[in-house]
Amino acid sequence: DLAYDQKDASTKAGSVTIDFDNRQATSHDVKIEDSSGQEIGGTDLVSSGTANATVDLQAGSYTFFCSVPGHREAGMEGTLTAN
């Protein structure tokens, strides 16, 4: 329950829409941070539903994660590569 279906994702650089479908009753979100650890955007918290957000990405590597305390540490994070 504390895991994303995907641990790695890739996209084209530019305006990117994150579509998040949380089928769990536990609230989760998807936040994106750059290589310096600065959060640059993400979805709202959602339980048993969907959320989306749009972020502008330069080419490079980003980390996506759940911002609920303890969830990232339990493994809810992955890598997003923008080309």
Side-chain angles (χ1 to χ4, degrees):
D1 292 359
L2 294 181
Y4 292 124
D5 288 341
Q6 283 185 263
K7 288 288 193 178
D8 295 292
S10 61
T11 188
K12 292 184 185 255
S15 182
V16 175
T17 300
I18 302 162
D19 293 313
F20 178 48
D21 182 5
N22 180 12
R23 297 181 184 140
Q24 303 295 319
T26 303
S27 292
H28 297 294
D29 60 14
V30 179
K31 300 294 184 184
I32 306 291
E33 70 180 18
D34 63 18
S35 60
S36 71
Q38 180 173 337
E39 189 175 303
I40 58 171
T43 69
D44 292 332
L45 280 172
V46 63
S47 62
S48 301
T50 60
N52 60 52
T54 301
V55 293
D56 289 316
L57 301 178
Q58 301 294 321
S61 184
Y62 298 85
T63 301
F64 62 90
F65 63 96
C66 180
S67 69
V68 174
H71 289 198
R72 183 178 190 176
E73 295 77 7
M76 286 193 76
E77 73 174 350
T79 302
L80 173 62
T81 304
N83 301 316

